[in-house]
């Protein structure tokens, strides 16, 4: 796997995949996509980078521990549910706010926040598993 | 169609139970995986089979137009697949670790927690 | 058939599916314990390399949960069952959390046990294991248990079971000794299989009723054809029986519960099997009582077998924690008795028994941890002479043995009394015989453990007149962190044993809540089917 071509292409591929995963995450509410599938794409990007550059490098690039990222995701998702407390509606009720930015209207909502949480949770968990497995391979 | 799927589910269950009765951990793992798929198929069938359009509200409409596929079983199955996958991965890694550390794939030889020649019960009071 | 409801389509009337009433703080109490535990677990895993704050933060979160749950308990005792449906959707569509006395009572006991275990673990867990995420996993387990007790939706119950399972996998292999791998394999496979059986029954329930909301099913289950319903009931009995370690699917418990840390054993013994027993009561009494009536002879047989065989297993054991595991299984038999005699007394007895067993079994496992720490072994044949070293521990252990055997004046006596009364009133003499025999055998097994560990001077074969010199005395830190939580749990058992009025009240209300589904359905918001559902 450790060819020059792969090592050269990998950073570009990873960058494209991460951007694409964010795109998939954001289009998720009304169209196919969402946090889960976005998180999976981002995690596969990390796994690819791990194969190309080595696990040590990835851990350095990630800054945070993958499991901590997963925890952050769950925390954000929980927070998205708790926000509805301030509007006297049940837990996890969707709340919407619209931002006017120039010509377009941006819809912000708690489902989006929840989906971002899912994104991080999936990204963190799968990345942790992938990196652990790759580390195991390298150790041999 | 339901009958065909019911037969298929039955076959899934048969194969998985046969594999689960084995003493080899890797076979039991395969059995668990097949059983999970059989159960997902069961939920799918129990939600009634319809070959109609996907349950997506068309542009300019307030609600769904009948007939449409039932989305709930699909949501349930998706959840079950994700959870089942996570647990299966864990068991797979656990089985692999056990194979490395205990040098055993046969549950009959895994007797650390329950020693084979159990000590006699204490007779004194 | 009821399954036609799957085709519900309220096109052009979407607002009908939403709740319009404002949600107050009292309603939020229903969901907060679970959410706080889950978010606390997430927060602690984010901070897992910050070892200094882990324990304090975890204990703080659990204390907060206990305060909220006490408040919710008082609310439920005063105003009756409470419910909240997520996301503002009307009940059969949204996921309901419905809290009655039995839910909140068990959740509260679970949180108290978790707190005791967390304090105990401070002297038991190495800093490597703190970094591994011990505190986070404990909170995740608590979130799963609390969610399972409080949810009003069967599929949601499945999800909480899996949350619990994942957390318990993490805890049981913590430390990574070989024996733990062995135990974890057996624990993992059989519990995963049990939840898969549960999932099968969920698929069948959905096919039969077209809904997974407990109140909704409870409303229509009486009219369902008895054949499929009984099949579902039998599957649920198997799945939850496996979770609760009832005979004959109990083999995983004595094979695994003695392998992890004593603190983890205590947590599992106090929480996990109890959720299985609770789910049995909830599903077969509240949701589908007609299936229970059909399965009655099976339940009675299982109850008798579990009651008698489990303490016999305990008698034969020379491993302390495995013996306790068998005593734990015997308790599941008592719960099955309550399931077999579904009168107010019987169900109240079973509910109180679960509450009692949560406190007692955890305390016993914590005690076992202390004994192992002093003795340096799990093998009772190598123990002896602890009485002279620590008479306080010997008193605690004896109280726990009496409580688990159901001897007065401790907490374990009252549920046994209720169960015997209920069985007598139903004419089930064999159940009475089994219950009394269970108490007798448990007393023999327990007091013999006590005699071997504490009373005799040294291990088997040694000169019994000499003092046991191999004992390793507890350090001061261990005395504070390990003995205190055990003592507090024992004090609970003594207190509720001497003042059982409150427990009786709660137990009776729990039984009413399970046997009469009208309040549960009404509170969930499904009282009038013609008005709420298909219009």
């Amino acid at each position: 796997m450790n060819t020059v071509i792969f090592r050269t292409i990998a950073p570009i591929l990873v960058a494209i995949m991460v951007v694409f995963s964010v795109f998939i995450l954001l289009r998720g509410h009304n169209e196919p996509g969402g946090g889960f599938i976005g998180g999976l794409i981002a995690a596969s990007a990390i796994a690819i980078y791990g194969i190309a550059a080595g696990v040590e490098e990835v851990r350095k690039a990630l800054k945070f521990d993958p499991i901590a990222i997963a925890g952050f995701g769950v925390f954000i998702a929980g927070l998205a549910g708790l926000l509805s407390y301030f509007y006297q509606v049940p837990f996890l009720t969707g709340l919407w706010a619209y931002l006017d930015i120039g010509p377009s209207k941006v819809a912000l909502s708690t489902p989006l926040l929840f989906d971002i949480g899912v994104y991080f949770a999936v990204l963190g968990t799968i990345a942790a598993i992938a990196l652990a497995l790759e580390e195991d391979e390298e150790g041999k | 169609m339901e009958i065909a799927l019911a037969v298929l589910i039955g076959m899934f269950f048969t194969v998985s139970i046969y594999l689960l009765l084995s003493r080899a951990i890797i076979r039991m793992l395969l059995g668990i995986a097949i059983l999970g798929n059989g159960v997902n198929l069961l939920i799918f069938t129990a939600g009634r089979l319809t070959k109609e359009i996907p349950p997506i509200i068309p542009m300019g409409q307030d609600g769904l137009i009948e007939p449409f596929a039932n989305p709930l079983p699909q949501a349930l199955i998706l959840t079950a697949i994700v959870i089942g996958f996570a647990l299966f991965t864990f068991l797979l890694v656990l089985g692999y670790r056990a194979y490395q550390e205990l040098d055993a794939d046969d549950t009959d030889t895994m007797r650390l927690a329950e020693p084979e020649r159990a000590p006699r019960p204490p007779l004194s009071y | 058939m009821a399954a036609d409801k799957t085709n519900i389509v309220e096109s052009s009337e979407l607002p009908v599916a939403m709740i319009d009433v404002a949600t107050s703080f009292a309603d939020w109490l229903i969901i907060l314990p679970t959410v706080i535990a889950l978010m606390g677990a997430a927060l602690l895993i984010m901070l897992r390399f910050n070892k200094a704050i882990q324990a304090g933060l975890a204990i703080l979160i659990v204390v907060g949960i206990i305060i909220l749950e006490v408040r919710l308990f008082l609310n439920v005792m005063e105003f009756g069952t409470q419910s909240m449906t997520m996301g503002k959707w009307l009940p059969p569509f949204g996921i309901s959390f419905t809290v009655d006395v039995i839910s909140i009572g068990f959740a509260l006991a679970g949180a108290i046990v978790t707190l005791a275990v967390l304090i105990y673990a401070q002297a038991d867990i190495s800093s490597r294991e703190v970094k591994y995420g011990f505190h986070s996993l404990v909170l995740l387990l608590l979130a799963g248990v609390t969610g399972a007790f409080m949810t009003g939706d069967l599929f949601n119950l499945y999800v909480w079971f899996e949350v619990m399972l994942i957390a318990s996998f993490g805890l049981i292999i913590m430390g990574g000794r070989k024996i733990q791998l062995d135990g974890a394999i057996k624990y993992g496979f059989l519990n995963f299989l049990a939840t898969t059986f549960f999932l099968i029954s969920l698929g069948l329930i959905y096919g039969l009723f077209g809904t997974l909301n407990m109140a909704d099913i409870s409303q229509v289950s009486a009219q369902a054809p008895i054949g499929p319903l009984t099949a579902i009931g039998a599957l649920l009995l198997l799945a939850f029986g496996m979770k609760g370690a009832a005979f004959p699917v109990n083999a995983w418990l004595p094979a695994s519960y003695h392998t992890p840390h004593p603190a983890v054993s205590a947590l599992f013994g106090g929480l996990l099997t109890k959720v299985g027993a609770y789910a049995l009561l909830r599903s077969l009494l509240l949701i589908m009582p007609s299936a229970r009536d059909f399965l009655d002879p099976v339940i009675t047989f299982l109850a008798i077998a579990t009651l008698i065989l489990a303490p016999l297993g305990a008698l034969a054991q020379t491993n302390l924690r495995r013996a306790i595991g068998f005593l734990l299984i015997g308790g599941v038999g008592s719960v099955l008795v309550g399931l077999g005699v579904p009168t107010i007394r019987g169900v109240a007895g079973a509910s109180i028994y679960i509450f009692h067993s949560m406190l007692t079994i955890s305390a016993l496992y914590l005690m076992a941890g202390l004994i192992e720490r002093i003795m340096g072994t799990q093998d009772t044949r190598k123990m002896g002479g602890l009485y002279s070293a620590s008479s306080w521990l010997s008193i605690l252990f004896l109280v726990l043995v009496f409580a688990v055997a159901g001897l007065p004046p401790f907490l374990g006596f009252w549920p046994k009394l209720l169960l015997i009364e209920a069985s007598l009133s139903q004419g089930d003499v064999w159940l009475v015989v089994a219950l009394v025999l269970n108490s007798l055998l448990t007393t023999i097994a327990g007091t013999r453990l006590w005699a071997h560990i504490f009373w005799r001077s040294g291990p088997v074969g040694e000169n019994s007149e000499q003092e046991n010199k191999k004992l390793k005395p507890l350090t001061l830190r261990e005395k504070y962190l390990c003995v205190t939580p055990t003592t507090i749990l024992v004090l609970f058992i003594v207190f509720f044993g001497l003042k059982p009025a409150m427990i009786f009240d709660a137990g009776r209300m729990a039984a009413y809540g399970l046997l009469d589904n009208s309040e549960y359905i009404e509170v969930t918001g499904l009282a009038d089917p013609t008005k709420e559902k298909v219009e």
Side-chain angles (χ1 to χ4, degrees):
Chain A
M1 288 304 259
N2 213 1
T3 62
V4 178
I5 301 174
F6 184 53
R7 268 183 290 157
T8 319
I9 289 293
I12 305 168
L13 197 64
V14 168
I16 294 173
M17 281 176 84
V18 170
V19 173
F20 183 64
S21 76
V22 174
F23 166 70
I24 289 284
L25 159 71
L26 291 180
R27 86 197 281 264
H29 191 70
N30 289 325
E31 282 166 284
F36 189 83
I37 190 79
L40 279 181
I41 295 172
S44 10
I46 287 168
I48 286 178
Y49 195 53
I51 296 170
V55 174
E56 211 38 53
E57 193 69 21
V58 180
R59 289 203 195 275
K60 229 184 280 167
L62 269 180
K63 296 263 193 310
F64 299 101
D65 180 41
I67 291 288
I69 294 177
F72 175 72
V74 174
F75 193 76
I76 290 284
L79 217 57
L82 287 183
L83 278 181
S84 46
Y85 174 73
F86 301 103
Y87 293 83
Q88 298 200 328
V89 285
F91 185 65
L92 279 176
T93 304
L95 303 168
W96 293 80
Y98 295 93
L99 268 188
D100 276 315
I101 306 175
S104 62
K105 221 176 181 187
V106 179
L108 297 174
S109 64
T110 51
L112 175 67
L113 195 61
F114 187 86
D115 234 11
I116 294 174
V118 173
Y119 176 87
F120 279 115
V122 173
L123 164 65
T125 319
I126 304 288
I129 295 173
L131 291 183
L133 289 176
E134 281 167 16
E135 228 160 29
D136 212 35
E137 278 305 285
E138 279 174 15
K140 283 194 173 164
Chain B
M1 192 59 190
E2 272 89 352
I3 294 175
L5 271 175
V7 172
L8 187 64
I9 294 166
M11 281 159 63
F12 267 85
F13 275 40
T14 318
V15 171
S16 69
I17 289 170
Y18 175 73
L19 286 170
L20 275 171
L21 291 176
S22 160
R23 287 193 306 258
I25 286 188
I26 188 72
R27 287 194 188 189
M28 287 164 66
L29 274 169
L30 289 175
I32 287 250
I34 294 173
L35 186 65
N37 286 323
V39 175
N40 290 336
L41 212 53
L42 186 144
I43 297 176
F44 182 66
T45 317
R48 303 297 185 273
L49 298 173
T50 44
K51 49 180 175 182
E52 314 298 344
I53 37 174
I56 294 175
I57 301 173
M59 198 70 100
Q61 293 280 335
D62 282 341
L64 290 165
I65 308 164
E66 286 200 77
F68 58 87
N70 183 1
L72 190 66
Q74 301 178 18
L76 300 183
I77 291 170
L78 185 65
T79 316
I81 287 177
V82 172
I83 296 175
F85 173 72
L87 294 176
F88 178 73
T89 320
F90 178 86
L91 285 181
L92 194 63
V93 174
L94 192 67
Y96 182 60
R97 278 281 308 280
Y99 173 68
Q100 281 180 322
E101 300 238 339
L102 309 175
D103 198 23
D105 181 48
D106 189 335
T107 44
D108 270 5
T109 54
M110 298 176 85
R111 301 306 296 248
L112 276 178
E114 295 170 289
E116 192 148 16
R117 267 179 301 163
R120 291 172 61 81
L123 295 173
S124 64
Y125 196 85
Chain C
M1 200 160 88
D4 290 341
K5 244 192 314 172
T6 50
N7 290 330
I8 280 186
V9 49
E10 288 177 280
S11 49
S12 76
E13 281 179 37
L14 285 178
V16 172
M18 304 295 271
I19 297 165
D20 282 335
V21 196
T23 317
S24 65
F25 180 70
D27 294 326
W28 273 83
L29 278 175
I30 296 164
I31 187 78
L32 276 179
T34 315
V35 177
I36 290 176
L38 196 60
M39 288 176 72
L43 193 66
L44 285 174
I45 200 79
M46 278 156 74
L47 303 170
R48 75 185 167 128
F49 293 111
N50 194 341
K51 281 178 285 183
I53 63 165
Q54 288 272 327
L57 199 56
I59 288 172
L60 196 70
I61 290 168
V62 176
V63 168
I65 290 171
I66 290 178
I67 292 170
L68 288 174
E69 283 181 347
V70 167
R71 177 81 196 279
L72 181 58
F73 182 76
L74 295 177
N75 276 1
V76 171
M77 287 296 274
E78 194 172 348
F79 306 113
T81 309
Q82 315 222 344
S83 178
M84 182 196 218
T85 303
M86 305 303 130
K88 225 177 158 189
W89 301 104
L90 274 184
F93 306 114
I95 290 171
S96 300
F97 261 49
T98 308
V99 179
D100 52 9
V101 177
I102 193 170
S103 309
I104 183 62
F106 292 168
L108 190 55
I112 290 170
V113 165
T114 310
L115 183 63
V117 167
L118 273 177
I119 296 171
Y120 179 95
Q122 296 319 311
D124 196 36
I125 299 295
S126 72
S127 73
R128 219 180 106 239
E129 285 155 350
V130 174
K131 232 161 70 178
Y132 171 86
F134 168 76
H135 294 95
S136 173
L137 286 170
V138 169
L139 280 184
L140 190 63
L141 191 74
L142 181 64
V145 169
T146 316
F149 282 143
M150 296 199 180
T151 187
D153 184 282
L154 275 175
F155 196 79
N156 201 235
L157 180 63
Y158 166 75
V159 173
W160 290 122
F161 264 122
E162 301 291 25
V163 169
M164 258 160 42
L165 201 53
I166 288 172
S168 62
F169 278 170
L171 285 171
I172 201 169
I173 57 163
M174 189 180 72
R177 290 179 301 131
K178 283 185 181 182
I179 189 173
Q180 283 177 289
L181 280 176
D182 187 351
I185 290 239
K186 288 155 190 171
Y187 172 84
F189 266 101
L190 287 167
N191 275 279
F192 189 27
L193 209 56
T195 49
T196 310
F197 284 136
F198 181 28
L199 192 61
I200 297 174
S201 67
L202 283 181
L204 297 177
I205 287 174
Y206 183 69
L208 192 61
F209 298 109
T211 176
L212 290 166
N213 187 301
M214 291 183 189
D216 213 12
I217 303 168
S218 169
Q219 210 168 26
V220 288
S221 72
Q223 287 105 46
I226 190 70
L229 196 66
T230 310
I232 293 170
L235 259 176
L236 287 175
L237 184 63
L238 173 64
F240 295 144
M242 223 159 153
K243 277 270 163 198
F247 176 83
V249 278
N250 58 1
W252 59 271
L253 196 147
S256 61
Y257 268 27
H258 63 293
T259 58
H261 278 283
V264 175
S265 289
L267 200 61
F268 284 12
L271 299 180
L272 291 185
T273 52
K274 304 308 176 291
V275 181
Y278 158 83
L280 263 182
L281 292 182
R282 174 72 82 201
S283 59
L284 289 181
L285 288 175
L286 179 85
I287 302 178
M288 36 189 73
S290 38
R292 192 220 69 84
D293 294 342
F294 204 84
L295 291 169
D296 190 73
V298 182
I299 294 171
T300 308
F301 168 73
L302 293 181
I304 293 172
T306 313
L307 278 173
I308 294 177
L309 293 176
L312 284 179
L315 270 176
Q317 279 305 322
T318 52
N319 180 310
L320 174 57
R321 268 198 266 166
R322 287 189 75 181
I324 297 175
F326 277 106
L327 296 183
L328 162 59
I329 295 170
V332 180
S334 300
V335 179
L336 285 173
V337 171
L339 196 61
V341 278
T343 57
I344 292 291
R345 283 204 174 151
V347 178
S351 318
I352 300 173
Y353 196 92
I354 295 179
F355 178 82
H356 139 78
S357 179
M358 285 171 108
L359 299 176
T360 313
I361 296 293
S362 313
L364 263 176
Y365 272 119
L366 291 183
M367 200 69 213
L370 278 169
I371 294 168
E372 281 167 27
R373 192 174 278 271
I374 299 172
M375 297 286 180
T377 173
Q378 286 195 10
D379 193 338
T380 51
R381 289 170 304 171
K382 296 179 189 149
M383 297 183 182
L386 195 50
Y387 179 77
S388 55
S390 175
S391 50
W392 179 238
L393 285 186
S394 78
I395 294 171
L396 291 184
F397 194 86
L398 200 62
V399 169
L400 287 171
V401 164
F402 284 166
V404 81
L407 301 182
F410 305 111
L411 178 55
F413 170 68
W414 302 109
K416 277 258 167 80
L417 184 69
L418 282 175
L419 287 170
I420 288 177
E421 273 183 0
S423 311
L424 274 180
S425 70
Q426 294 284 300
D428 278 320
V429 184
W430 286 109
L431 282 179
V432 180
V433 172
L435 277 167
V436 174
L437 207 57
N438 169 271
S439 284
L440 179 68
L441 290 172
T442 309
T443 315
I444 295 174
T447 47
R448 197 178 60 177
L449 281 177
W450 186 82
H452 283 178
I453 299 165
F454 291 97
W455 197 240
R456 74 175 174 203
S457 314
V460 179
E462 265 181 42
N463 186 351
S464 55
E465 297 303 315
Q466 281 170 4
E467 214 171 292
N468 191 348
K469 296 244 168 53
K470 287 181 199 142
L471 301 182
K472 196 171 132 262
L474 294 174
T475 61
L476 200 63
R477 181 180 153 79
E478 284 167 351
K479 266 187 192 153
Y480 280 121
L481 289 174
C482 298
V483 180
T484 316
T486 320
T487 310
I488 289 172
L489 285 181
V490 172
L491 283 181
F492 267 114
I493 292 160
V494 174
F495 174 78
F496 285 127
L498 294 176
K499 286 185 85 68
M502 194 180 154
I503 294 288
F504 273 128
D505 274 352
R508 202 177 303 118
M509 280 179 74
Y512 272 118
L514 283 177
L515 292 174
D516 177 15
N517 60 10
S518 57
E519 191 192 7
Y520 194 88
I521 294 169
E522 193 192 321
V523 169
T524 313
L526 290 161
D528 191 356
T530 51
K531 201 171 140 204
E532 302 277 352
K533 280 190 228 151
V534 191
E535 279 189 295

